[in-house]
Amino acid sequence: MKQRLLMSILFICFSTVTTSAQQPNPTSEDKNHNTASKQVSAFSIEAPQLNTTKKIWIYLPKDYDASKKKYPVIYMQDAQNLFDTKTSYVGEWNVDEKLDSLHAPVIVVGIEHGNEKRMEELTPYKNAKYGGGNADNYLDFIVKTLKPAIDFKYRTKTNAKNTGIMGSSLGGLVSYYALLKYPDVFGKAGVFSPSFWFNRNEIIELTEKTPKLKTKIYFLCGDNEGDADMVLDLNKIDALISKKRCECKNLTQKKIVKGGQHNEKLWRDGFSDAYIWLF
């Protein structure tokens, strides 16, 4: 079971199962056309912590150029799949269209995954069977190199209350790890279908040892993701978090989608609700 799921996340190769209610996989014709809105642009930045150069995608709200106000920011993993069908594997999240429809006053910073290094970058600890374990350097890049550059170039609200992080699968795992490691940087997190199984024991232990959790967290997963432990792991982490803070503060939201699978449809359909609740 884990072997099959691993193959689906190795290079952001998520499940291609399609239902009648699901956006179809992009055709060869679709893949030849960019679908990102005019609010989306991209640039490259050196990532010394990873000994590479990272391509970064930026979504700016429609009123950005016409205003002088500052905006909250969401840092999202796997940028290739967020905005553009042409660069996605089996369909995009439609982040730009969804935020446009909400007239959402937010900046999104998408970080492209490292292709063959994706598993390495997005996993906090080495897995005895699959390796990995370079998320500390990946997050150091975001916090110490990328975020200062974004805050310098764009009109951003820089505090933790207005800074979120979000991702799915291994991107969900590293987003959860980020809120534990950098609680003073990330005050909001969207954790979609997190691959807790990859570092289950270490993540549980780290959660237990974390004295306080003030980050606002939106958990999302399906009950048919190909990982029999997905819901169990999510409920376990949620229970540990609940012991550390009063439910009266309404800092955690958990949604388990009946029939939901490990694919872009689940994350695309859940994105707007997560954004609205978090922000």
Side-chain angles (χ1 to χ4, degrees):
M1 186 72 73
K2 291 293 189 298
Q3 181 70 29
R4 180 162 65 88
L5 186 60
L6 178 72
M7 295 305 296
S8 73
I9 65 177
L10 186 54
F11 300 118
I12 205 68
C13 298
F14 299 117
S15 170
T16 60
V17 176
T18 302
T19 69
S20 59
Q22 180 176 344
Q23 176 176 304
N25 294 337
T27 64
S28 58
E29 183 178 355
D30 293 332
K31 295 291 284 186
N32 290 329
H33 294 85
N34 297 104
T35 59
S37 71
K38 63 182 180 180
Q39 283 87 252
V40 177
S41 61
F43 67 90
S44 294
I45 185 172
E46 291 298 315
Q49 298 87 348
L50 300 169
N51 297 312
T52 190
T53 299
K54 279 288 187 184
K55 183 177 179 181
I56 307 299
W57 297 55
I58 299 288
Y59 166 87
L60 298 177
K62 284 185 174 182
D63 67 346
Y64 183 86
D65 289 336
S67 75
K68 295 183 179 180
K69 62 184 179 182
K70 295 183 177 181
Y71 298 84
V73 182
I74 309 174
Y75 290 85
M76 296 187 69
Q77 325 311 324
D78 299 317
Q80 293 97 320
N81 295 281
L82 301 179
F83 308 106
D84 198 342
T85 298
K86 187 174 182 178
T87 60
S88 67
Y89 182 71
V90 289
E92 53 157 315
W93 286 38
N94 300 120
V95 166
D96 44 348
E97 290 89 352
K98 288 181 178 294
L99 293 177
D100 282 351
S101 68
L102 294 171
H103 302 285
V106 68
I107 294 171
V108 175
V109 179
I111 305 125
E112 284 207 351
H113 63 72
N115 296 305
E116 73 280 358
K117 292 182 179 286
R118 179 176 183 268
M119 179 179 290
E120 184 179 315
E121 291 178 357
L122 301 185
T123 53
Y125 306 97
K126 184 173 290 188
N127 180 287
K129 186 173 182 179
Y130 301 115
N134 198 31
D136 283 335
N137 286 330
Y138 175 76
L139 292 177
D140 283 352
F141 158 67
I142 295 176
V143 171
K144 298 177 181 179
T145 300
L146 180 59
K147 186 177 186 298
I150 295 296
D151 291 339
F152 177 80
K153 185 174 182 180
Y154 300 96
R155 300 192 309 274
T156 63
K157 296 180 178 180
T158 62
N159 61 358
K161 182 180 179 181
N162 289 287
T163 305
I165 189 164
M166 183 179 289
S168 63
S169 193
L170 291 179
L173 171 64
V174 79
S175 295
Y176 179 75
Y177 181 64
L179 70 88
L180 297 179
K181 184 175 182 181
Y182 288 107
D184 295 332
V185 176
F186 303 109
K188 304 174 188 293
V191 181
F192 287 10
S193 303
S195 299
F196 286 138
W197 64 267
F198 196 92
N199 293 139
R200 179 181 292 109
N201 293 337
E202 295 91 343
I203 289 296
I204 288 174
E205 182 179 0
L206 183 60
T207 303
E208 290 174 332
K209 289 182 176 180
T210 300
K212 294 181 180 180
L213 278 173
K214 297 181 180 180
T215 302
K216 198 172 185 181
I217 310 170
Y218 190 101
F219 286 122
L220 170 74
C221 77
D223 65 1
N224 187 29
E225 295 214 23
D227 175 4
D229 296 327
M230 175 65 72
V231 175
L232 293 175
D233 287 343
L234 198 65
N235 286 338
K236 172 68 174 178
I237 295 296
D238 180 40
L240 291 175
I241 293 171
S242 295
K243 293 179 180 179
K244 299 178 182 294
R245 57 195 194 187
C246 178
E247 291 186 8
C248 61
K249 294 184 178 180
N250 193 32
L251 291 176
T252 305
Q253 179 79 343
K254 180 177 65 177
K255 184 174 182 179
I256 299 173
V257 178
K258 184 175 178 58
Q261 299 177 3
H262 197 84
N263 57 25
E264 257 70 21
K265 171 177 168 48
L266 179 67
W267 308 321
R268 179 172 60 244
D269 290 351
F271 175 75
S272 292
D273 286 345
Y275 166 75
I276 291 169
W277 188 83
L278 287 168
F279 287 86

